[in-house]
């Protein structure tokens, strides 16, 4: 029994440890592995050849994606996926880079061999946010002084915004992110450029909260920026606009706190981000204010003088008066020189916003290089000399001195505008023909009896300004009767909250005497 058991154990161990079988089984996988490596090597060579062919063709292979590409190409393609990528958080400025790298490019350089470097990826990460904003088309509202809607629509159309349509106290048009920047830079008549980010039906204040909470504010600002919210309404049934304003603010802050763990601070003086809530009878619209301070603040005025006129209204008066920038212009009640400085900028082609900052410069992913390129191009088209004289006259020497200082702050040469202390009742015409456009004094600003003053000025116009076009803005609706002239046209305008009229007269022999 014992010997037999030992024999069976020996045979069993012998079967388990069969050396020839083990070597055979080891050798077979090794041969198969070598063949597999050879096949894999051949496949890699073929894939490499295909990559080279595709890279030299339409550049759709992933390796071609790693090559440095011209910035415009990276911009135009990187945004094509943005509408579907709603979960991306702009707080991480490089977050869009992996998706941009993984997406095939539509265009590449024809002759460049593929190579892998870190620099192109960094370049694409910084460019991707700019292309996203530039490619997306936004609905935009540009408010302006009442009465200038048609003139603003014409201005925007000249700037290339062909769908600009006048509305109530402003114009509607569509543009991409770069177009929004151009509108801020060039528009002389708009008060702000408001980019629509949300619109919906509202019947209760909580509907405003929900609308604000669903809007992707993280695309433009976050907890690191300060915030201000303003609310306006037309025929809204809401009981308190202040409470509506608070609901919108709460919705914005709630969303940012949920997504990024903190909320922005409130700054009502100089915020980084401004949001406007506009309410109607049954709807609410949320706008991102891309301008910041009102656009009529050009950045040069420090001395306003008495009864100043806003810069965008001055530009609008020039537009409504059909002033030809190649023709002389006289303002016999020039005050601090606003109308004449605006006229000089128009004649020289100086963009209205060239010397001022904008709110969009403080938003997330602002492309400073692209913005600098836009301004450099604008500066390259500024003319250096005026074709015709611009003349300002005022009785007050202090006003003339303030006007000269404003000219210097507006980056104009001292001889751009000729300022003189003088009396409008005795001021001669500086040229045989031209335009006289002015905002004369009235009421408490008049140091003498206004009836006698207007008669004397009208007599000077009739005697010395034959062939001139005259435009006068005033809140005194009886001014034509005092001048004893019949206006050719009259435009209702508002200088702030002041109801005014722009009266246009054509001075011909025999005048428009009644």
């Amino acid at each position: 029994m014992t010997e037999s058991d030992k024999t069976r154990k020996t045979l069993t161990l012998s079967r388990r440890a069969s050396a020839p079988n083990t070597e055979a089984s080891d050798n077979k996988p090794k041969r198969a592995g070598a063949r597999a490596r050879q096949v894999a090597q051949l496949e890699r060579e073929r894939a490499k050849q295909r990559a080279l062919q595709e890279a030299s063709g339409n550049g759709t292979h992933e390796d071609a994606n790693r090559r440095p590409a011209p910035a415009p190409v990276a911009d135009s393609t990187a945004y094509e996926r943005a509408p579907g990528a709603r979960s991306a958080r702009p707080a991480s400025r490089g977050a869009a880079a992996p998706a941009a790298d993984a997406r095939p490019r539509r265009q590449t350089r024809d002759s460049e061999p593929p190579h892998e470097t870190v620099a192109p990826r960094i370049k694409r990460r910084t460019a991707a946010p700019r292309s996203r904003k530039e490619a997306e088309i936004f609905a935009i509202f540009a408010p302006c002084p009442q009465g200038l809607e048609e003139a603003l629509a014409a201005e925007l159309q000249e700037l290339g915004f062909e769908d600009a349509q006048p509305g109530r106290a402003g114009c509607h048009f569509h543009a991409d992110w770069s177009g929004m920047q151009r509108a801020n830079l060039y528009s002389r008549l708009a008060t702000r450029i408001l980019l629509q980010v949300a619109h919906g039906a509202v019947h209760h204040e909580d509907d405003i909260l929900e609308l604000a909470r669903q809007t992707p504010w993280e695309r433009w600002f976050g907890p690191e920026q300060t915030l201000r919210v303003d609310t306006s309404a037309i025929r809204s049934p809401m009981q308190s606009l202040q409470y509506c304003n608070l609901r919108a603010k709460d919705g914005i802050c709630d969303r940012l706190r949920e997504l990024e763990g903190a909320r922005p601070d409130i700054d009502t003086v100089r915020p980084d981000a401004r949001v406007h809530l506009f309410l109607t009878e049954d709807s609410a619209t949320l706008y991102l204010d891309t301008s910041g301070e009102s656009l009529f603040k050009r950045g040069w005025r420090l001395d306003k003088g008495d009864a100043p006129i806003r810069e965008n209204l001055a530009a609008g008066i020039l537009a409504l008066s059909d002033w030809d920038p190649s023709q002389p212009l006289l303002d016999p009640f020039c005050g601090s020189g606003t109308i004449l400085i605006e006229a000089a900028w128009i004649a020289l082609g100086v963009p209205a916003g060239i010397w001022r900052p904008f709110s969009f410069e403080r938003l997330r992913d602002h492309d400073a290089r692209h913005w600098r390129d836009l301004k450099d191009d604008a500066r390259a088209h500024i003319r250096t000399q005026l074709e015709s004289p611009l003349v300002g006259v005022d009785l007050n020497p202090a006003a003339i001195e303030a006007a000269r200082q404003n000219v210097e702050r507006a980056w104009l040469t001292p001889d751009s505008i000729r300022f003189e202390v003088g009396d409008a009742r005795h001021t001669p015409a500086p040229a045989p023909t031209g335009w006289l456009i002015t905002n004369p004094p009235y009421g408490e600003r008049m140091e003498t009896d206004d009836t006698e003053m207007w008669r004397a000025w009208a007599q000077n116009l009739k005697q010395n300004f034959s062939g001139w076009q005259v435009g006068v803005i005033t809140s005194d609706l009886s001014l034509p009767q005092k001048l004893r002239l019949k206006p050719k046209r009259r435009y209702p305008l508002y200088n702030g909250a002041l109801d005014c009229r722009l009266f246009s007269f054509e001075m011909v022999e025999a005048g428009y005497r009644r």
Side-chain angles (χ1 to χ4, degrees):
M1 294 292 294
T2 303
E3 292 179 359
S4 176
D5 291 340
K6 288 181 180 180
T7 304
R8 279 196 293 270
K9 288 180 182 179
T10 303
L11 291 174
T12 301
L13 290 174
S14 176
R15 290 192 195 99
R16 290 177 182 175
S18 178
N21 291 341
T22 302
E23 290 177 2
S25 61
D26 290 341
N27 291 337
K28 187 173 182 179
K30 289 180 181 178
R31 289 194 297 270
R35 286 197 299 270
R37 284 193 296 272
Q38 291 175 359
V39 172
Q41 180 65 28
L42 290 174
E43 288 296 329
R44 281 196 295 271
E45 290 295 328
R46 291 169 185 168
K48 187 175 180 181
Q49 292 298 324
R50 285 196 301 269
L52 289 173
Q53 292 174 1
E54 291 175 358
S56 61
N58 58 11
T60 58
H61 192 269
E62 184 180 42
D63 288 336
N65 233 6
R66 300 190 180 108
R67 293 202 315 255
V73 175
D75 291 346
S76 63
T77 57
Y79 177 68
E80 290 175 0
R81 59 184 167 75
R86 299 180 63 87
S87 61
R89 290 174 51 185
S92 178
R93 296 177 183 257
D101 287 349
R103 180 174 176 83
R105 302 279 180 180
R106 294 184 182 275
Q107 299 179 18
T108 57
R109 296 175 184 170
D110 292 338
S111 59
E112 244 181 56
H115 57 88
E116 297 183 8
T117 60
V118 177
R121 294 176 184 168
I122 295 174
K123 187 174 182 179
R124 284 197 294 271
R125 279 199 290 268
T126 57
R130 171 166 62 88
S131 65
R132 180 170 63 250
K133 291 173 182 175
E134 287 181 348
E136 184 174 0
I137 301 300
F138 297 93
I140 296 177
F141 180 68
C144 67
Q146 274 190 269
L148 294 184
E149 295 91 347
E150 294 286 346
L152 174 58
E155 177 193 57
L156 291 172
Q157 289 169 3
E158 289 181 3
L159 291 174
F161 306 108
E162 298 179 357
D163 67 338
Q165 294 294 327
R168 179 187 174 94
C171 286
H172 299 270
F173 66 101
H174 292 81
D176 61 9
W177 193 261
S178 182
M180 171 276 296
Q181 294 176 323
R182 289 180 56 251
N184 273 290
L185 178 61
Y186 285 101
S187 179
R188 303 183 190 277
L189 307 185
T191 303
R192 297 180 183 277
I193 302 297
L194 302 178
L195 188 143
Q196 181 177 318
V197 295
H199 177 81
V202 295
H203 305 286
H204 190 270
E205 288 83 354
D206 288 342
D207 296 335
I208 299 173
L209 174 71
E210 190 61 28
L211 181 66
R213 184 181 288 161
Q214 292 177 359
T215 304
W217 303 106
E218 64 276 6
R219 292 180 58 187
W220 302 290
F221 61 88
E224 71 273 16
Q225 275 105 349
T226 55
L227 173 67
R228 171 175 173 166
V229 180
D230 294 290
T231 300
S232 59
I234 296 178
R235 298 187 300 273
S236 174
M238 301 298 177
Q239 295 297 316
S240 170
L241 292 185
Q242 185 175 3
Y243 183 59
C244 294
N245 193 78
L246 181 62
R247 292 276 82 187
K249 191 185 306 179
D250 289 344
I252 297 170
C253 293
D254 287 351
R255 180 181 179 93
L256 292 177
R257 186 188 293 110
E258 291 170 4
L259 291 177
E260 306 190 13
R263 53 162 288 170
D265 293 329
I266 303 301
D267 184 348
T268 60
V269 179
R270 186 174 168 76
D272 297 317
R274 293 174 182 248
V275 173
H276 284 257
L277 169 65
F278 178 68
L279 300 171
T280 62
E281 290 177 318
D282 57 1
S283 69
T285 306
L286 287 166
Y287 294 100
L288 181 67
D289 182 355
T290 64
S291 302
E293 288 192 305
S294 296
L295 293 180
F296 66 78
K297 297 182 179 181
R298 313 291 201 218
W300 56 261
R301 188 209 288 267
L302 290 180
D303 197 322
K304 298 181 180 180
D306 294 332
I309 189 171
R310 289 179 174 177
E311 288 81 345
N312 60 341
L313 181 57
I317 292 170
L318 292 167
L320 292 176
S321 300
D322 294 325
W323 173 61
D324 183 350
S326 66
Q327 296 297 311
L329 177 64
L330 169 67
D331 183 353
F333 304 96
C334 68
S336 59
T338 303
I339 293 177
L340 292 168
I341 292 174
E342 280 297 309
W345 276 27
I346 292 171
L348 294 173
V350 180
I354 195 67
W355 301 119
R356 55 155 288 164
F358 295 95
S359 181
F360 65 77
E361 297 180 70
R362 300 195 295 274
L363 298 180
R364 282 179 169 175
D365 298 323
H366 170 61
D367 191 339
R369 183 178 62 181
H370 176 71
W371 174 233
R372 184 174 62 248
D373 291 344
L374 284 178
K375 292 197 292 185
D376 288 345
D377 180 70
R379 290 191 182 100
H381 292 86
I382 296 176
R383 292 178 285 277
T384 57
Q385 290 186 339
L386 293 167
E387 298 182 30
S388 297
L390 305 178
V391 182
V393 177
D394 200 281
L395 267 176
N396 187 352
I400 292 297
E401 180 59 29
R404 288 174 176 152
Q405 293 177 6
N406 283 334
V407 165
E408 182 179 356
R409 283 190 286 265
W411 296 84
L412 296 170
T413 57
D415 58 349
S416 298
I417 304 173
R418 189 173 85 235
F419 288 108
E420 302 172 354
V421 177
D423 192 331
R425 295 169 290 187
H426 310 295
T427 299
T433 60
W435 269 258
L436 185 156
I437 301 176
T438 189
N439 173 31
Y442 49 86
E444 294 181 355
R445 294 176 62 206
M446 300 293 295
E447 297 179 0
T448 61
D449 178 64
D450 61 343
T451 302
E452 182 59 32
M453 186 269 181
W454 294 129
R455 283 183 182 175
W457 184 46
Q459 189 64 28
N460 183 32
L461 293 177
K462 296 168 188 175
Q463 291 179 352
N464 300 312
F465 287 84
S466 177
W468 277 65
Q469 306 293 323
V470 176
V472 181
I473 181 173
T474 178
S475 65
D476 185 356
L477 305 186
S478 64
L479 182 63
Q481 287 79 13
K482 294 177 180 178
L483 294 175
R484 305 177 78 177
L485 293 171
K486 183 179 179 180
K488 183 173 64 173
R489 291 187 301 271
R490 64 183 71 201
Y491 300 96
L493 295 173
Y494 279 84
N495 184 11
L498 199 60
D499 184 15
C500 297
R501 295 294 183 275
L502 172 62
F503 296 106
S504 294
F505 307 94
E506 185 176 0
M507 304 308 299
V508 296
E509 290 192 31
Y512 271 81
R513 184 185 300 273
R514 288 185 171 180

